[in-house]
Each structure stands twice: as C-alpha cells, then as structure tokens.
C-alpha cells in the first residue's frame, strides 16, 4: 500500500454510527483538527431516525428540547413543524446538520463495523468493516446507539410464512404495503403503540399480540405554534440551562416552572395530587416522570400515578373486559419506559382491530398463512410486524467483535453483568469510548444533550493526553467496580427491579440482569465525569 493510502487508513479518531451522537462527535473532532472518519452501517445519517421508518414513528420528547444545543445558529435556523417531530423530519434535521457543518465527506456510508481489535504494541485499534475494509485508529468512539440492535424472537415455522415479515426497527426504506391487508403486530411497547393506530387506519384487519400491557399517556402532538417556537428561541440558552440542571434533561415545555419536583406524591392532599396528574394528562407527553420526586422510589406514590392512568384506560376503551386486558397491573408505572400515544387505546374500539392476550394462550409458531396459537387458533395474515424491541444498550456493542487487552472480548467482559466506568469505558479496552453507552444515564436522560456533554468530555480528554504525551487511556478496574456498585446501589433505591424491562436486560434471553442505566440523574453523573477527569484522570491509567 502506498504511504499516502496507508496514512488515509490511519486515523486518530474513528467514530461508529451517524446518529445524533456520532454527528456531534464528528463535528467536534473536525473542529479540533483531528484526523477523523465516521463509519455508518446505513446509507444515510440519522441513526434511530434512519432505521425506524414504521408508520407513526416520532420522537416522544418535544422537538424544541430534543435537538442540538451546541450551535445557536442551528437552534435559530431550524423550524420544527410539529410539537413532536415525525421520523422524516428528524432525518431531514440530521441531514441539515450534516451539510451545514460539511460532515458528509468524513462519513463512510454502507460500512458496518464488524470487528475492532486492540493492538497492545501500537496502542491502536484495528477495525474492519463488513466489506473487509481495514482501518487503524488511535481512538474508537462508539456512538452505536442505545436502541439500535433489533431483537426479533424466532417462532417455529417463521421461514414458512408466505406473506411479509418486517421489524419496526428495520423498516424497509421502500415502505410496506399495508392498505387492505390483514396485519399482525407482535409486541405492545413504544414502537407498537405508535404504529398500531396508523396500521389500523389502513389495514383490512389488525391483530395485536400482547404479552404485557403498557402505560401510555396521550402525546397531544399538534402543529408547532409559531409564537411558542419564537418564545423558546428567544431564550434557548435559558432553556438549555434548566434542562442541564434537571434530572431527566428535558422538562416538558408546559412545566418550565417546575423542572425538578420537590415533593413526594403522598405529601400532598388527594385533591392536589389529582389536579397535578390532570394538569400533566392535559399537557400530554412524558412529563409524568417529573410530577413527584418519589414516583420511581416509593411504591405508594407510584401506585397513585399508576391508578390514575389505569382509570384513564378504562375511560378510553369502550369494552370493559378489553380495557382490563389492556391495563397493566403487574409492574410499577414508569419502570418500563412510559409510552406517548396518539389514539392507541381508542384503536381497540375499532371493528377491524382485535387484541390477542398472550397470557391466555401463547404463540405456538408461524404457519404459511398466519400465526398459530397454542390453543390451536390460527390468525391469518398477509403481514407480520415484529415490534419486539431491541437488545438495548449493550447489543449494538457486543454484536461487534470487540477485543481488548489479552484478546478479551467485550461479550466476555460483560458475561456476568455490565461493567463500565460511567458508561464511558470498560477496563481493558483502552482508547475505546462509548457515547450514550450502557451504564450512563442515556435511556433516562435526553440523549442529544448527553452526547453533547460526552463529546466535550472526550475532546478534553484527548487534548489532555496529547499535552501529556500519552497515547493510551484505560480505566482502572477499581474505578469500574466502584461505578458498578454505585449504579447498582442507586438502581436498588428505585422500583426498577420490580419490572421486567430492557433497562435491566430482561428482554433478551440469557442476558445477565443488572441495571444498565445510571439512575442518579445527570447532575450527579456530570460531577462523576468531571471528578474523574480532575487531578490528571486519576481513575484512569495513562501511558
Ligand atoms: O420495544 P419494547 P420498543 N413474544 O422492548 C414484546 C424507545 N422508543 O421498540 O413487555 C411476544 O419496549 C414485549 O413484551 P414484554 C423507547 O425508549 C421510543 O417498543 O417483554 N411479545 C413488548 O411488548 C422504548 O422503551 C419511541 O412482555 C414479545 C414488545 O415486544 C424503546 O425504544 C418509539 C416477544 C417490545 O417492546 C423500545 O421500544 C419506539 C415475544 N417473544 C421506541 N418479545 C418514541 O416514542 C418481545 N415482545 C420516541
């Protein structure tokens, strides 16, 4: 290989993933003048919003909050058309940011990374794409997404199905013909809650297979009010400051006066509590998380909220028996990610929609013409939609053959449960840094804001290394242990473990159960990261 070609394949920074986190990292690395390239498995930018094109896909945080804050020009220039942007608009936004900062020449599309092997001599990562391209990088920044490794359970006979089988998280770019079709949807998580009402509108018949009912709150999406948008833009910095001091990174724009709750739900009178829930129900969206400070830690407080939402389900579904089947009773509200819905429960009032409760009879397998149940029933269909979720947080990383010191794979490293320091690095995997990674607050904090913070942290770290003549950074196993124990302790103070959820790894057979997200809130997380960097990165080994 000619020297110039070789140089082109030797990067300082290699980024994996062109979602919002990867784009942010690419932009900041370029600004620093680093030799950097981003590898993306898809053919365009957008990450989650590139892959999840199912009908009804839209963000569940308000777009004015779920957006980049690093550039006030971007904040002012981009006009959101709806309160919660839909997938196409979010992808356009990602494209706009990519072009505005001229990121495209630095991205390799259709280039899925399949392996990353650490060379202990050179302190570099040898990285290979699916097509066999090899590249060497000093640092690997894994912006691979927290919900990007789709989980598709296998049902016996699936290959015999004569119709079409699709997954919400890998929705075909060319779209799926659903008009007049008989459709089965498996799963009732956030993806299902969004696509079920849309599919029901066009399909001849829709059958939904529910294993666990969910709590959903009306999103109350609407065209963006221009005055509202103008008001927010007039003091975006103020909003971002409030967000960054909040536990969740978003406040809900109806609740700017109360970004962090100070009271417990049972500290107020029944009437006051009811009024607060009514206010949040009317405003729509996920602000229930912020209604009281103890909804995720106190069973009685949690139950007051759960019972409020159960009452609403009874109001929304006409048939009381059906309403009961759709009502969650076996786990605390908010411990599974709350869904923001648009007409989800009402969809079950339609004549062309049927709910199959898998607690009554399970799926036996897939026949050529539909889904066969253990009680012998056959649900005929033309299309099966798997809305069955993701191997969350760790899946996008451990599906890559990542080998650190001594050839240990990341899968081996996590065999008995997740091990990271602050969701940033794992011990024995030097110079590899995760964004929105497992063990960070990613799934319970605004992911764009977290990525912005992490990108800045990474840049400072790389600058520090350069100015101290270090080319290798590894987190100590003590720091990793300490963080894991702390995250477990905080997790155990919540009701999270009373629920089977991807937050705990429960949805993937064989995945070790350990809290995969940091529940201590962003301000505490940021302090940890800042302290770790203070005094010469004492929690790390620099060589
Ligand atoms: O996945 P999920 P998702 N047989 O894991 C069921 C974000 N998101 O893609 O609960 C039958 O929540 C499973 O049943 P159970 C958001 O953070 C956001 O919907 O395990 N059923 C469940 O009902 C969300 O939390 C938006 O008993 C099976 C469903 O499939 C996260 O992504 C939109 C099954 C999976 O639900 C994941 O949501 C979409 C089986 N073998 C997603 N296996 C926004 O609104 C699984 N299920 C922005």
């Amino acid at each position: 290989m000619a020297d110039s070609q070789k140089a082109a394949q030797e990067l300082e920074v290699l980024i994996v993933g062109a979602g919002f986190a990867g784009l942010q990292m690419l932009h900041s690395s370029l600004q620093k003048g680093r030799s950097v390239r981003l590898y993306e498995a898809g053919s365009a930018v957008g990450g989650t919003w590139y892959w999840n094109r199912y009908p009804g896909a839209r963000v569940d945080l308000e777009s004015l909050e779920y957006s980049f804050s690093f550039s006030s020009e971007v904040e002012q220039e981009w006009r959101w058309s709806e309160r919660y942007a839909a997938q196409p608009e979010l992808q356009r936004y990602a494209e706009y940011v990519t072009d505005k900062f001229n990121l495209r020449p630095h991205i390799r599309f259709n280039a899925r990374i399949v392996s990353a092997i650490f060379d202990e001599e050179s302190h570099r990562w040898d990285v290979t794409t699916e097509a066999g391209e090899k590249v060497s990088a000093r640092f690997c920044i894994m912006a691979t997404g927290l919900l990007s490794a789709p989980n598709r359970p296998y049902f016996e006979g699936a290959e015999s199905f004569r119709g079409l089988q699709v997954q919400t998280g890998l929705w075909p770019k060319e779209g799926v013909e659903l008009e007049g079709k008989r459709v089965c949807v498996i799963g009732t998580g956030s993806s299902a809650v969004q696509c079920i009402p849309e599919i029901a509108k066009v399909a001849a018949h829709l059958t939904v297979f529910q294993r666990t009912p969910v709590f959903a709150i009306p999103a109350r999406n609407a065209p963006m009010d221009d005055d509202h948008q103008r008001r927010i833009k007039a003091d975006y910095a103020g909003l971002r400051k409030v967000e960054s001091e909040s536990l969740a990174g978003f406040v809900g724009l109806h609740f700017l006066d109360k970004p962090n709750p100070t009271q417990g739900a049972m500290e107020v009178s029944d009437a006051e509590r009811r009024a607060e829930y009514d206010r949040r129900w009317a405003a729509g969206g996920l602000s229930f998380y912020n209604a009281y400070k103890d909804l995720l830690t106190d069973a009685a407080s949690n139950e007051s909220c759960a019972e409020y939402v159960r009452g609403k389900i009874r109001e929304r579904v006409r048939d009381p028996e059906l309403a009961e089947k759709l009502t969650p009773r076996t786990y605390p509200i908010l411990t599974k990610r709350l869904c923001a819905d648009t007409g989800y429960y009402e969809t079950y009032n339609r004549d062309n929609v049927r709910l199959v409760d898998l607690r009554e009879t399970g799926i036996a397998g897939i026949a050529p013409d539909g889904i066969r149940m253990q009680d012998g029933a056959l649900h005929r269909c033309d299309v099966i939609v798997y809305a069955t979720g993701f191997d969350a947080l760790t899946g996008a990383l451990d599906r890559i053959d990542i080998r650190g010191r001594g050839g240990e794979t990341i899968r081996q490293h996590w065999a008995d449960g997740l091990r990271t320091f602050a969701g940033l690095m794992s011990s024995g995997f030097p110079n590899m840094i995760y964004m929105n990674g497992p063990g960070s607050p990613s799934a319970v904090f605004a992911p764009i804001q977290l990525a912005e913070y992490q990108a800045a942290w990474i840049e400072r770290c790389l600058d520090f290394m350069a100015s101290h003549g270090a080319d290798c950074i590894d987190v100590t196993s003590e720091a990793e242990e300490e963080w894991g124990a702390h995250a477990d302790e905080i997790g155990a103070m919540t009701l999270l473990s009373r629920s089977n959820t991807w937050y705990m790894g429960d949805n993937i057979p064989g995945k070790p159960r350990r809290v995969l997200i940091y529940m201590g809130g962003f301000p505490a997380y940021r302090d940890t990261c800042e302290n770790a960097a203070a005094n010469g990165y004492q929690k790390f080994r620099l060589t």
Side-chain angles (χ1 to χ4, degrees), residues 49 54 58-60 147 151 153 155 168 186-192 194 209 211-212 336-337 340 358 363 387-390 502 507:
W49 306 109
Y54 59 82
R58 66 176 67 247
V59 64
D60 59 3
L147 292 154
N151 167 45
F155 296 105
T168 48
I186 303 176
T188 50
S190 301
S191 304
Q194 289 191 326
F209 296 78
R211 193 162 68 177
T212 311
K336 276 181 192 282
R337 169 84 168 188
L358 296 176
I363 295 175
T388 43
F390 301 88
W502 58 260
N507 66 328

Side-chain angles (χ1 to χ4, degrees), residues 31 45 63 86 126 151 159 167 190 243 297 318 364 383 402 414 418-419 423 429 457 460 523:
Q31 285 219 308
V45 297
S63 295
D126 295 323
N151 167 45
E159 56 290 338
Q167 263 176 285
S190 301
E243 286 169 350
T297 52
R318 274 202 299 268
V383 182
I402 296 174
W414 292 339
L418 179 70
R419 288 160 66 196
F429 296 82
W457 190 94
R460 275 187 285 139

